[in-house]
Amino acid sequence: MKKIDMLTPIGILIGISMVVFGVVSSGGMSGFLAFIDMPSILIVLGGVFGTLCVSFPLKQLKNMGRVGKQAFQSKEINVEEIVGTFVHLSEKARREGLLSLEAELEQIDDSFVKKGILLAIDGVEPEMIRELLEAEIAAVEERHARGRSMFEKAGDYAPAWGMIGTLVGLVLMLKSLNTPSSLGPNMAIALLTTFYGALLSNLFFQPIAAKLAGKTEHELFVKEVIIEGVIGLQAGQNSRFVQAKLKVFAPVEKRKLEEKREHVREA
């Protein structure tokens, strides 16, 4: 079940709040309003969007919103629950055989786990199971990398378009030195486009790309745990051995806590 990843909007809000606080505390509301310039915003946002259109196909760009949404969602993937599931399945498989696991598939939501168990039930060799599941992991990693690359590129392009806007503003300013009334707006374009580009890159595009990379890394790690569990099922390994093998993938803190509980039970 997916939940809202509150750290992402909170982090963005904190960053924006610090910028607003710095501006308002120095120049009041008039100082804040001085940082709002529509031509500068359009140069940066329009330029970034244009370069993304050149860099990526339309089909991929249509998914940018859906990909970015993942940074604001948190999908609970509990390694301990996966270990418990495979321990239960290995016990049943040793008692009743691998075919008995078909009845358990309806209670499993993860399609990757289901695919692995079906391969084990069908009697596919462990090496082939690993090869097939790792091929799917590679496909997932490649798909996530393509989606993430749009935000990485946007993070690269935004400061560049900020500098382009700065050059536009400087040219306009130099051409209107004899018109004092136009110096202010042109100077605003020259400075604020760099500000907008840096802000978008460092507070939005690059952090979202980093968050997506972290989520992908965790998802692939969990899939590796699942592969080991499926191989254990297919090989008919003892449930205790399966548990001991998969427990090494659990966080160190939780492993230590579990060990303490086992010592308490033994005492």
Side-chain angles (χ1 to χ4, degrees), residues 5 8-9 66-73 207-208 211-212 215:
D5 186 347
T8 301
R66 182 181 59 81
V67 172
K69 187 179 177 182
Q70 302 302 315
F72 295 84
Q73 294 179 335
I208 284 182
K211 176 60 74 71
L212 292 173
K215 288 180 179 291

Side-chain angles (χ1 to χ4, degrees), residues 89-98 100 235-239:
L89 293 176
S90 64
E91 290 174 348
K92 184 167 185 176
R94 284 177 67 84
R95 287 196 314 267
E96 306 172 24
L98 281 173
S100 67
Q237 294 172 348
N238 182 279
S239 60

Side-chain angles (χ1 to χ4, degrees), residues 217-255:
E217 183 178 347
H218 181 63
E219 182 179 343
L220 298 183
F221 169 76
V222 171
K223 290 185 184 300
E224 291 289 349
V225 177
I226 293 170
I227 289 178
E228 294 301 325
V230 171
I231 297 299
L233 280 180
Q234 203 280 340
Q237 294 172 348
N238 182 279
S239 60
R240 286 185 175 274
F241 180 79
V242 172
Q243 183 179 29
K245 181 172 69 172
L246 297 185
K247 275 176 64 177
V248 301
F249 292 98
V252 176
E253 296 80 6
K254 293 189 176 182
R255 292 211 309 267

Side-chain angles (χ1 to χ4, degrees), residues 79-241:
V79 176
E80 291 75 24
E81 289 182 4
I82 293 174
V83 172
T85 297
F86 278 105
V87 169
H88 166 70
L89 293 176
S90 64
E91 290 174 348
K92 184 167 185 176
R94 284 177 67 84
R95 287 196 314 267
E96 306 172 24
L98 281 173
L99 290 176
S100 67
L101 299 183
E102 288 190 52
E104 302 284 335
L105 293 178
E106 295 181 0
Q107 303 176 19
I108 298 175
D109 297 327
D110 194 308
S111 59
F112 191 76
V113 175
K114 283 185 177 181
K115 181 177 182 178
I117 293 174
L118 284 172
L119 290 172
I121 292 173
D122 292 340
V124 179
E125 292 297 320
E127 294 79 9
M128 185 62 69
I129 291 177
R130 186 182 295 277
E131 184 177 341
L132 289 171
L133 295 182
E134 286 185 346
E136 183 166 338
I137 287 178
V140 169
E141 185 175 14
E142 174 62 24
R143 186 171 66 251
H144 287 193
R146 286 201 305 270
R148 188 172 66 248
S149 66
M150 290 184 288
F151 287 90
E152 292 172 341
K153 288 298 183 183
D156 293 337
Y157 295 146
W161 276 100
M163 290 302 299
I164 290 173
T166 296
L167 294 175
V168 170
L170 289 175
V171 170
L172 292 175
M173 186 180 67
L174 291 173
K175 290 184 68 174
S176 60
L177 288 177
N178 294 328
T179 311
S181 61
S182 64
L183 291 179
N186 292 335
M187 178 63 78
I189 293 177
L191 297 179
L192 287 178
T193 48
T194 297
F195 170 74
Y196 290 143
L199 189 66
L200 283 172
S201 176
N202 292 287
L203 187 58
F204 188 73
F205 293 127
Q206 294 290 5
I208 284 182
K211 176 60 74 71
L212 292 173
K215 288 180 179 291
T216 297
E217 183 178 347
H218 181 63
E219 182 179 343
L220 298 183
F221 169 76
V222 171
K223 290 185 184 300
E224 291 289 349
V225 177
I226 293 170
I227 289 178
E228 294 301 325
V230 171
I231 297 299
L233 280 180
Q234 203 280 340
Q237 294 172 348
N238 182 279
S239 60
R240 286 185 175 274
F241 180 79

